[in-house]
Amino acid sequence: MSKTIALISPTTGKTLVERQTLGIEDARAAVARARAAQPGWAALPLDERVARIRAGIAALNAMKDAIVPELADQMGRPIRYGGEFGGVNERADHMMKIAAQALAPTMVEDSDHFAREIRREPVGVVFVIAPWNYPFLTAVNTVVPALVAGNAVVLKHASQTLLAGERLAEALHRGGVPADIMQNVVLDHETTEALIAGRSFGFVNFTGSVAGGRAIERAAAGTFTATGLELGGKDPGYVRADADLDAAVDGLMDGAMFNSGQCCCGIERIYVHESLFDAFVAKAADWVNAQRLGNPHDPDTTMGPMAHRRFADLVRAQVAEAVAQGARPLIDPAHFPADDGGAYLAPQVLVDVTHDMRVMREESFGPVVGIMPVRDDAEAIRLMNDCDYGLTASIWTADADAAARIGSRLETGTVYMNRCDYLDPALCWTGCKDTGRGAALSGLGYLAVTRPKSYHLKKVTK
């Protein structure tokens, strides 16, 4: 039985759109259409598939004037940032550019006696469950390589960004990707889990919470369905004594506050060498106080509302609890009058924090960061690793050898030096611990959406 999903805009607090979910039989029928159409799509030459997908990305770019304000209404990102098109284009272009090499057979022998090789073949139907915080970027990470490799894709977008899924499917259809090959569906949790448990897909990619990842794993248990899970994060930054202070402040605070802190690889905790601590903290507070919280449709707004009031309330609770435990807030909320106690939330910087506080251990996913002084690299490494998550870590230093040495001891998926909160499509996007498992982007990203198939051909000789 279908249900109604209402998208409540954090910008206005009012219903933006409503959509009906698919019942289980209609959902199974959608998957069946995808499965039936997939062999024909896979039979097209690789260059033809790439050309159609490239045309679809171009069609998405042509929708920019409509999509940017839609994002502001759906999840609160200010229009001044122009949507996600730079990253979408960079990631899609790279994955299409490396496709021929990444999908090329591995030739073991081609002699008069034997032909032996390993080929990569599509897994069939790929299920992408996308999040709301970067609704196009995160979906493209898997949708593009899956289609390029010859799979059909079923996309279920977050209820907070229903229009993003519709836009992506519409654009790819305009580019020439068949409707049954790229399907955007609206599903509730029960139907989603039933489809996975019914072995409907060759691969399931989920970006979201740890609890959501556990639900996906439970649904897939016993089906042997491959899953890729990008879950929570509590990404740290470390400022060494030899760091460029101004660059570190600007980079790390942007990493902490951009998108109202709602970034998978956003900076949520910072460790600063004690010799730079006071100066860093003062500059960090000034940086935050220079931001403008307000309506995301205003070009002067640098921070919009959080995507939902309940997300803002979680951050408020973490901050209040930390302050009650002795943390000191550096930002006066009165400096941000747009904070309405709802989805609009003033940013905050906390000092005198410890790892006994939730705000330094549990994911905040909002505009708050705690800053601690450290004596040396060893203490920074210990604190950076003292976390259940491991997505990225950022080291600010003039010594590349030191950054590499520190990075080798960090439990994380990506190590940055003198930058943060960026995803390089030529490098593998992955994590460890409760951040999940799997690999997206780079050549390794094609491994999840294909399976190896070996050919051992003995030639007849006279």
Side-chain angles (χ1 to χ4, degrees), residues 128-132 134-135 138-139 155-159 161 205-208:
V128 178
I129 307 173
W132 51 262
Y134 283 94
T138 51
L155 170 65
K156 175 198 174 299
H157 226 300
S159 59
T161 42
N205 177 260
F206 171 78
T207 305

Side-chain angles (χ1 to χ4, degrees), residues 17 58 69 98 103 119 173 209 235 262 270 327 371 374 397 402:
V17 296
I98 67 171
L103 297 171
R119 299 180 186 175
H173 296 161
S209 68
D235 291 7
Q262 300 167 129
I270 300 173
I371 309 177
V374 293
T397 178

Side-chain angles (χ1 to χ4, degrees), residues 17-270:
V17 296
E18 292 183 342
R19 294 291 185 267
Q20 293 294 311
T21 63
L22 293 180
I24 185 61
E25 294 306 320
D26 287 338
R28 287 172 178 155
V31 173
R33 291 194 302 273
R35 187 177 295 115
Q38 183 269 327
W41 174 250
L44 293 175
L46 175 61
D47 288 348
E48 174 65 18
R49 294 198 300 270
V50 167
R52 295 191 189 194
I53 297 163
R54 194 177 297 281
I57 297 299
L60 187 70
N61 277 264
M63 301 176 185
K64 181 176 180 178
D65 288 346
I67 286 175
V68 170
E70 283 179 356
L71 284 173
D73 284 329
Q74 290 178 92
M75 47 75 64
R77 186 180 306 124
I79 61 170
R80 69 182 289 142
Y81 300 117
E84 303 166 18
F85 290 92
V88 165
N89 294 334
E90 182 183 31
R91 297 178 193 185
D93 183 66
H94 181 78
M95 295 308 288
M96 289 186 281
K97 189 177 296 183
I98 67 171
Q101 179 182 357
L103 297 171
T106 301
M107 183 62 67
V108 178
E109 180 182 357
D110 186 13
S111 69
D112 292 340
H113 302 287
F114 289 96
R116 295 184 294 141
E117 65 179 350
I118 304 168
R119 299 180 186 175
R120 305 297 311 184
E121 300 202 349
V123 297
V125 181
V126 172
F127 189 31
V128 178
I129 307 173
W132 51 262
N133 63 320
Y134 283 94
F136 292 99
L137 282 176
T138 51
V140 160
N141 289 353
T142 304
V143 168
V144 167
L147 291 173
V148 168
N151 298 284
V153 170
V154 175
L155 170 65
K156 175 198 174 299
H157 226 300
S159 59
Q160 195 64 44
T161 42
L162 291 171
L163 298 179
E166 294 175 4
R167 288 288 189 183
L168 185 56
E170 178 187 356
L172 287 166
H173 296 161
R174 288 186 185 180
V177 178
D180 287 341
I181 292 297
M182 175 63 203
Q183 297 186 51
N184 176 69
V185 296
V186 181
L187 305 173
D188 61 22
H189 294 321
E190 293 78 13
T191 302
T192 298
E193 292 172 14
L195 289 176
I196 296 171
R199 201 178 286 189
S200 301
F201 309 107
F203 176 64
V204 176
N205 177 260
F206 171 78
T207 305
S209 68
V210 174
R214 291 191 177 115
I216 298 297
E217 285 204 327
R218 283 194 299 270
T223 68
F224 308 115
T225 300
T227 59
L229 308 171
E230 186 198 322
L231 310 176
K234 193 73 180 174
D235 291 7
Y238 170 38
V239 182
R240 297 184 80 234
D242 64 344
D244 181 323
L245 182 62
D246 289 336
V249 169
D250 190 58
L252 288 171
M253 296 315 296
D254 182 68
M257 300 298 166
F258 188 77
N259 208 36
S260 295
Q262 300 167 129
C263 301
C264 299
C265 55
I267 295 296
E268 296 210 2
R269 51 200 174 105
I270 300 173

Side-chain angles (χ1 to χ4, degrees), residues 239 241 272-279 372-376 379:
V239 182
V272 183
H273 188 271
E274 57 191 8
S275 65
L276 297 179
F277 182 76
D278 290 341
M372 292 178 64
V374 293
R375 293 182 301 274
D376 51 28
E379 184 178 20

